[in-house]
Structures are given as C-alpha cells and as structure tokens.
Amino acid sequence: MKVGIVGAGFVGSTAAFAMVTMGAASEIVLVDANDALAQAQAQDIAHAVPFARAVAVQAGPYAALEGAGVVVLSAGVAQKPGETRLDLLERNARVFAEVIPAVLAAAPDTVLLIATNPVDVMTQIATRISGLPRHRVIGSGTVLDTARFRALLARKLGVTPKSVHAHVVGEHGDSEVLLWSGATVAGVPVERIAEQLRRPLTAGDRADIDEGVRRAAYRIINGKGHTAFGIGGGLARLVAAIAGDERMVTTCAMLNDNVVGVPEVVLSLPRIVGAGGVLDTILPDLAPDEETALRRSADILKEAADGVERRMGWKA
C-alpha cells in the first residue's frame, strides 16, 4: 500500500523509517513545506532499504500522494512561549485547513491518520475540515500510552510486553485513564498473575507505573527535546493494520457519538482497525473510578474542541 506522510520532521521521518523496517507499506511519499527537508529525509531513509524491506521512498508535492491508502498528518506548529493551548490549537487548525484539502485533492479515498498534537482535538478538527466519514479519520491517540503501560507492567512482572493485555483510554495527555481493572496476562488479572509469579504488585508499584506512563513524554522531551521513536512505531503499526486488513484491536482516537454521557467527542478507546480505517469500537468494562475518570477526560477534550471551533467560527 502507498502511504503519504505530510510533515517530514522528527515524527514523520521516524514513522517513515519504522514503516520501512516493519514492511508496513510498499511506497512512502514524504511531503513538507520545506521541500529540501523532505528530499533529504526520503534519501536518508531510502539508504536503509537494502538493510530492511523493499519499500520505495521518495519526496514530492501533494500531487505525489495520488493513490495513497493512508496519509499521516504530522505537520503543525510549535507552541510559542506564553501561548495558550487554544492559541496553539487555532494556529494548527489553520495549518490543517490548508493541508487537508490539498491531500484530499490528490487522494480522495485515503484514510487520514493524525499525529499532530494535541492529537485528540486535532483529530476532531481534521474530521470537520475533511468531511470524511469518521472511521477514516483516526488519531494516534493513546496507542503509545498503551504501549508504555504494557511495557512497564511487563517489566514488573518479568514477561514480554507482547503477553500483557492492558489499555489506556481517554485523552492522549494528562487526563488519560489506565484501565487496571481489565489488565491481564494469559487471561489472568495482573494482581493474581503477580502473586503467582511472586512479584507482588503493590499500591506503590501501581502509582509508579501510572506516573511512568503519564509523565513519560515530559521526561523524554526534557532529555532530548522531542519524542519520535515510540510514536513512529505506533503510527507504522496502525498503517500495517490498515494495509493488511488485520482487524487488530488497539487504542486510537476518532469522533464518537457519545462516550460515558459526553456527546460528539474525540478520544481513545479500543478499536478494531483494518482496511478502510476503524471497523468497530469496543467499550471495555470499567470500574466505577475508571468511568468517572474517563468522563472527566472526555469533558476536558470536549471543552477544548468546542473552544477552538468557536474561535475558528465553526460553532456558535
């Protein structure tokens, strides 16, 4: 499958490289306002192809996206000192208002995969601007947060993260919700498996894991200025699921009719991802405190999205 990536910075280029190593695409096209950057990234990634999978990598204008089954949007502007979240959202909304029509003019049947932060609200903005069916506008959402949760649980339990089943839902951000009540290994709740493996999971351990998931991006950004590898891998995995019609269950974001009483809000839930985008959504069983936390997360996202839509003149 041909994949386009608009925005060839750290996230877009790392996602492209991950797609090459994973074999998630047959062709990748990088598009950026800075064409020299896109050309350089494409050439550098193409030089890794002999060591990985046979993927054609090139840079080009929007017209080169013709026939793309998925287009990743990682373009956006950085937050300025003293700038509010709504200011940033409005500026990124204006970027999307230019980018998305250009993408759809070349690839009207594509699935849009949103990576630009704040990703939940930007996914709602992309859904509005594009006019596409909501299942074809997907935000990376908590796909990375879920991976972090599984990795930290796996380290505590002494198993591979691939054997841990646990999800993070809600916002990709501070109000995200770790679903401890549904976390399992081999179908056994993590508290019981921890006892069996003689690795007790204490309240302190749970707090450390929660903090490790929730604050991971802050620590990484403080250390090197950006995150790229984790989200690049997550984006590549979502692309592979769409390309291969895998019907993979993973957490990602899209516009929901109603979540725990909050209408028309974008947030992450476990979803079945395959050809054409999101095929279905799964609402997991929630403990009472998890449901309360998810409603709070939904309220925060709804308020932010409504705020930027009013500022853009899209909502009274």
Side-chain angles (χ1 to χ4, degrees):
M1 184 179 71
K2 181 176 181 177
V3 176
I5 299 176
V6 180
F10 291 119
V11 171
S13 60
T14 305
F17 180 71
M19 291 176 205
V20 168
T21 58
M22 196 181 293
S26 59
E27 181 180 355
I28 298 170
V29 178
L30 292 170
V31 178
D32 197 280
N34 182 348
D35 184 61
L37 174 65
Q39 294 288 346
Q41 299 281 36
Q43 187 175 33
D44 196 13
I45 295 166
H47 293 166
V49 168
F51 309 115
R53 306 294 181 93
V55 180
V57 185
Q58 62 175 311
Y62 285 103
L65 299 174
E66 182 180 2
V70 177
V71 175
V72 177
L73 299 185
S74 56
V77 294
Q79 192 163 9
K80 297 177 180 178
E83 186 175 39
T84 67
R85 188 186 193 206
L86 274 179
D87 289 336
L88 174 63
L89 279 167
E90 183 177 352
R91 289 203 297 134
N92 272 330
R94 295 192 187 283
V95 171
F96 271 27
E98 294 181 6
V99 167
I100 290 174
V103 168
L104 294 181
D109 299 321
T110 197
V111 173
L112 295 179
L113 178 53
I114 314 303
T116 302
N117 276 319
V119 68
D120 305 290
V121 180
M122 293 308 299
T123 300
Q124 188 151 343
I125 289 168
T127 304
R128 173 181 278 277
I129 292 171
S130 69
L132 293 176
R134 58 187 60 186
H135 70 275
R136 285 174 51 199
V137 186
I138 308 170
S140 57
T142 60
V143 67
L144 177 54
D145 309 273
T146 290
R148 289 166 174 161
F149 188 21
R150 291 174 172 172
L152 291 174
L153 267 174
R155 182 184 302 172
K156 170 62 183 176
L157 298 173
V159 300
T160 173
K162 291 187 176 182
S163 294
V164 176
H165 298 279
H167 295 99
V168 178
V169 298
E171 179 191 15
H172 171 57
D174 294 342
S175 72
E176 65 192 21
V177 185
L178 281 65
L179 298 185
W180 286 95
S181 66
T184 64
V185 175
V188 180
V190 290
E191 290 84 358
R192 285 172 48 201
I193 204 75
E195 292 173 3
Q196 290 185 34
L197 297 175
R198 296 176 297 281
R199 292 172 176 261
L201 190 60
T202 67
D205 293 327
R206 288 169 60 116
D208 287 344
I209 290 171
D210 185 283
E211 194 273 343
V213 173
R214 204 176 298 275
R215 305 295 297 178
Y218 295 101
R219 285 193 297 275
I220 294 168
I221 291 169
N222 284 340
K224 70 173 192 173
H226 67 275
T227 62
F229 294 113
I231 186 57
L235 291 166
R237 191 66 191 88
L238 285 165
V239 167
I242 295 168
D245 192 20
E246 292 184 24
R247 297 176 177 261
M248 174 181 73
V249 176
T250 187
T251 52
C252 56
M254 65 173 276
L255 183 61
N256 307 271
D257 290 329
N258 187 292
V259 178
V260 290
V262 181
E264 293 295 306
V265 63
V266 169
L267 51 68
S268 286
L269 290 169
R271 306 188 195 274
I272 302 171
V273 178
V278 172
L279 306 180
D280 217 331
T281 294
I282 299 168
L283 183 61
D285 292 333
L286 302 171
D289 62 324
E290 293 169 346
E291 183 171 344
T292 298
L294 182 56
R295 185 177 297 110
R296 173 178 173 271
S297 188
D299 282 336
I300 289 169
L301 291 169
K302 178 70 172 174
E303 181 180 359
D306 286 351
V308 73
E309 289 198 345
R310 281 191 293 269
R311 291 182 65 155
M312 294 292 292
W314 297 335
K315 190 168 187 173

